[in-house]
Amino acid sequence: MSESDDIKYMRRCLGLAGLAGGRTLPNPMVGAVIVHQGRIIGEGYHLRPGEPHAEVIAVKAVRERALLKDSTLYVSLEPCSHYGKTPPCADMIVSEGIKKIIIGTKDTSEKVSGKGITILEKAGCEVVTGVLEEECRWMNRRFFTFHEKKRPYIILKWAQSADGFLDKERLKNSVREPLWITGNAERVLVHRWRAAEQAILAGAGTIRTDNPRLNVREWTGNDPVRLVLSSSGRLDGTSAMFRELGTNIVFTHNPDATVPGAVMVKMDGKENSAKQIAEFLFRSEIQSVLVEGGAQVLEHYISSGLWDEARIFRGRDYYRKGPAAPLIKGKTLKRVLFSNSSLEVVFNDGSMHAEQVDN
């Protein structure tokens, strides 16, 4: 097949993989396509942990299994080589007699790391790698960052007024509720983002001022683990987020702090807080975190250089006074216009290269 055919079928793999966005963690998103004489005869994608992988679903979708011996398997990520909740896909491919496998990108996790390709090559299969590699790595940027950098993929998100403020100046006795800079479409998008990440983090100031629930309401998906960074650890246990089902974790420097309904994680005040949180999340096998503010927390992550993406909404209204939005530098990946705001997605040039933002 020509190079253009390889790209076409790998794009199909990526399209399939993306259908499971936010549901496969901690597993990667993977799509597979089986092609016989220029015709797709089977395809599939990994839907959620513990269920069959993309290659298995694609093979099972083939009605005439005898065709597999003369077919090409396209898969966006190197087939696994180890026993987990499912058997190794590399062994299954060999047993089915598939002779040519085209892989988008290698799996760099310790459990695989080329072992799947080795199994296939030792069995006499022709293996081609690196087709749309950047796109395949970008789709699983959370997975790759977690395994290669030993930390979660970190996304910063905030909304600011037209003149660069995160919020209006508030009186001490003002009502605890968010001030909306964006419109409904943007709020739905943010809930979609929340559903795609394993954890969400906010500072104590945001919890006290906005009283957010930090859950998924405007989209279908799982609630992320809720994290709060509070140096004092003094938080109101009746706040909205602590009344939600799920896990709440408070990171604090106060060894005596307790919050009903929350797991307390004591941090070393002499060490970088963002780094300590990243290390805790890595040990907890959490691959991604969406940082939603406030100003001090965002500034801390930016100054630490510990971020991968920033998603910034800019509203139409002018606030004149209030907490200033942070300044950030990076590669602009995407700009989107909404009726009430504009969205800019900025990528940390020190991380992985990327061409697009899918979710």
Side-chain angles (χ1 to χ4, degrees):
M1 292 184 183
S2 68
E3 182 181 16
S4 60
D5 286 332
D6 288 348
I7 291 173
K8 177 178 70 174
Y9 293 124
M10 192 58 68
R11 289 201 188 283
R12 177 59 182 167
C13 290
L14 287 168
L16 290 166
L19 295 175
R23 288 177 287 175
T24 65
L25 291 168
N27 292 351
M29 293 180 284
V30 184
V33 170
I34 299 173
V35 178
H36 180 265
Q37 295 183 357
R39 182 173 65 92
I40 294 176
I41 60 172
E43 60 182 26
Y45 62 94
H46 182 49
L47 181 57
R48 57 178 61 90
E51 296 192 4
H53 290 183
E55 303 94 316
V56 174
I57 295 173
V59 166
K60 287 183 177 180
V62 177
R63 293 182 179 180
E64 298 181 54
R65 298 287 275 271
L67 298 180
L68 289 172
K69 292 179 171 56
D70 296 312
S71 299
T72 298
L73 168 67
Y74 290 83
V75 61
S76 55
L77 183 69
E78 175 184 357
C80 65
S81 56
H82 60 286
Y83 281 89
K85 293 181 179 179
T86 59
C89 289
D91 289 347
M92 182 275 299
I93 293 167
V94 171
S95 67
E96 292 290 345
I98 302 173
K99 299 299 183 185
K100 185 171 183 179
I101 300 91
I102 297 180
I103 298 168
T105 187
K106 293 181 180 179
D107 182 337
T108 56
S109 65
E110 292 180 2
K111 290 182 178 179
V112 182
S113 191
K115 298 182 185 72
I117 292 172
T118 298
I119 289 172
L120 296 172
E121 290 179 335
K122 283 186 175 180
C125 300
E126 178 186 353
V127 181
V128 178
T129 62
V131 176
L132 294 183
E133 184 168 16
E134 278 198 11
E135 289 89 334
C136 291
R137 281 182 60 83
W138 177 251
M139 169 158 284
N140 283 306
R141 57 199 183 277
R142 299 160 182 83
F143 177 82
F144 285 115
T145 296
F146 181 82
H147 289 285
E148 295 174 5
K149 298 191 175 184
K150 310 303 179 186
R151 66 164 175 83
Y153 191 84
I154 300 169
I155 302 169
L156 310 181
K157 170 262 169 185
W158 71 87
Q160 63 186 63
S161 64
D163 52 351
F165 293 101
L166 296 174
D167 198 355
K168 287 184 176 179
E169 192 173 45
R170 298 205 192 199
L171 300 174
K172 288 185 178 180
N173 297 323
S174 60
V175 178
R176 296 177 65 201
E177 62 182 9
L179 179 66
W180 296 110
I181 293 174
T182 59
N184 186 65
E186 297 95 308
R187 291 196 285 275
V188 171
L189 178 59
V190 169
H191 282 253
R192 178 187 172 191
W193 291 344
R194 289 179 179 181
E197 312 308 333
Q198 283 185 283
I200 184 171
L201 183 145
T206 298
I207 303 304
R208 296 186 186 108
T209 303
D210 294 347
N211 196 27
R213 293 161 67 182
L214 298 182
N215 63 357
V216 177
R217 301 184 300 280
E218 305 294 337
W219 195 261
T220 300
N222 296 324
D223 288 341
V225 174
R226 292 178 289 274
L227 316 175
V228 182
L229 176 56
S230 172
S231 183
S232 70
R234 291 191 290 269
L235 295 165
D236 183 355
T238 65
S239 296
M241 64 168 285
F242 297 118
R243 298 198 301 270
E244 296 291 330
L245 295 175
T247 303
N248 301 304
I249 301 174
V250 176
F251 295 90
T252 181
H253 297 126
N254 183 354
D256 300 319
T258 59
V259 179
V263 176
M264 307 301 292
V265 177
K266 309 303 191 297
M267 297 189 299
D268 185 343
K270 297 179 181 179
E271 299 293 332
N272 181 284
S273 295
K275 184 173 182 292
Q276 291 181 77
I277 293 171
E279 290 171 349
F280 176 89
L281 296 180
F282 178 75
R283 293 193 300 270
S284 303
E285 298 187 346
I286 292 177
Q287 292 186 5
S288 65
V289 58
L290 179 65
V291 180
E292 290 207 16
Q296 288 185 331
V297 172
L298 292 167
E299 290 281 9
H300 175 63
Y301 272 88
I302 293 169
S303 64
S304 301
L306 204 55
W307 63 280
D308 297 288
E309 284 179 47
R311 301 173 181 179
I312 307 156
F313 290 103
R314 291 182 172 84
R316 312 286 188 220
D317 295 335
Y318 289 80
Y319 285 0
R320 312 301 178 186
K321 292 182 179 181
L327 300 176
I328 196 165
K329 293 182 179 179
K331 177 183 176 183
T332 297
L333 299 183
K334 188 175 185 179
R335 288 190 175 94
V336 180
L337 289 176
F338 294 90
S339 59
N340 292 326
S341 71
S342 63
L343 168 66
E344 180 182 15
V345 179
V346 178
F347 182 73
N348 189 340
D349 288 331
S351 274
M352 300 164 61
H353 293 293
E355 300 270 337
Q356 58 187 347
V357 174
D358 296 317
N359 52 56

